[in-house]
Amino acid sequence: EIETTAEAHPKVAILGEIYAKYNGFANNQLVEWLIERGVEVVVPGLVEFFLSWVINADAAVQADVHRRDVLSLMKSPVLRYANSVLDEVDAVMSGFVRYQPTHRVEDVANSARKVLSLTHRYGEAWLIAGEIGVLVGHGVDNFICLQPFACIANHVVAKGVERRIKELYPQANLLFLDTDPGVSEVNYHNRLSLLLHQATTGQKCPAPLTITSSHTRG
């Protein structure tokens, strides 16, 4: 019963640190801000985050980092069960106009392998790189990656692999954005506006002008 239109809107995906990505208080109500500006917001589900441990356990064994144990042996049965549940969800959701298929964590992991090793387990590990690859395949080219200012681990597996991501997906429009209570709201929304300009026009904006002064005359 929700009113919809056939009009196409630019798609922008929100990725990054899990709390900043999903919590409106932490990201300055980013989803609402984007919707008000005519953007279709894409936020990956929580399933991949909670299932990533299965991939991590198996990847550690394959890389000879850990010996095979109970966790690594659980990969196949756990993924079979999880995917059967997701198949049921997709069967129901496929009847909706704005239906988008859920992503299998194996697909996200395979996409991430093109960018970095799956043994990276700090921050959001390989999820950010994997989600970008999967979403590009579903027609999403614009990405906002959120992370707390001091989350060095998340910066490494996000902005640290930006160059490799751009090599694989040159059409990707990426914005890595710090979100903390001390972040200037003007600067925060200014950078978002630059990303939206490229998302809607396909043209990059010039870099913001930085003005410095060594002294001030009285």
Side-chain angles (χ1 to χ4, degrees):
E1 296 179 356
I2 298 175
E3 184 178 349
T4 61
T5 67
E7 182 182 356
H9 298 272
K11 295 181 180 180
V12 176
I14 300 177
L15 312 173
E17 194 271 336
I18 186 168
Y19 183 75
K21 177 168 60 173
Y22 291 111
N23 188 285
F25 174 77
N27 60 39
N28 295 312
Q29 307 301 329
L30 179 57
V31 172
E32 288 79 3
W33 189 89
L34 290 170
I35 291 175
E36 289 173 359
R37 285 152 181 80
V39 170
E40 181 179 343
V41 181
V42 180
V43 182
L46 277 166
V47 176
E48 300 97 273
F49 179 84
F50 287 111
L51 287 179
S52 62
W53 66 268
V54 183
I55 304 294
N56 289 339
D58 184 69
V61 172
Q62 298 298 326
D64 294 324
V65 176
H66 292 300
R67 294 179 178 178
R68 189 165 294 282
D69 56 14
V70 175
L71 287 179
S72 61
L73 294 173
M74 291 176 64
K75 176 184 177 183
S76 294
V78 168
L79 291 183
R80 272 199 304 270
Y81 175 75
N83 289 337
S84 68
V85 175
L86 292 175
D87 288 340
E88 294 181 17
V89 173
D90 283 337
V92 174
M93 297 298 293
S94 61
F96 289 84
V97 176
R98 301 295 181 184
Y99 164 71
Q100 292 288 337
T102 54
H103 304 138
R104 302 299 184 260
V105 70
E106 309 98 293
D107 297 331
V108 177
N110 288 333
S111 177
R113 280 192 180 95
K114 303 174 184 177
V115 179
L116 75 175
S117 169
L118 298 188
T119 55
H120 288 275
R121 298 170 66 172
Y122 41 84
E124 298 309 296
W126 40 268
L127 281 174
I128 295 173
E131 287 170 343
I132 290 176
V134 168
L135 288 171
V136 165
H138 284 81
V140 181
D141 293 332
N142 306 289
F143 301 91
I144 300 170
C145 185
L146 302 172
Q147 56 259 329
F149 176 76
C151 187
I152 301 302
N154 217 62
H155 281 263
V156 171
V157 294
K159 191 169 181 59
V161 295
E162 177 182 9
R163 180 176 178 179
R164 177 59 178 160
I165 290 173
K166 292 294 290 184
E167 289 175 352
L168 290 170
Y169 316 110
Q171 74 274 36
N173 181 19
L174 304 173
L175 172 62
F176 297 93
L177 194 59
D178 293 335
T179 171
D180 264 323
V183 172
S184 165
E185 184 176 346
V186 173
N187 183 55
Y188 185 84
H189 288 116
N190 178 51
R191 296 188 65 193
L192 287 169
S193 296
L194 293 177
L195 175 129
L196 289 186
H197 175 81
Q198 184 174 347
T200 55
T201 67
Q203 299 177 353
K204 291 186 177 181
C205 284
L209 178 63
T210 300
I211 301 176
T212 58
S213 176
S214 58
H215 66 277
T216 302
R217 293 185 179 180

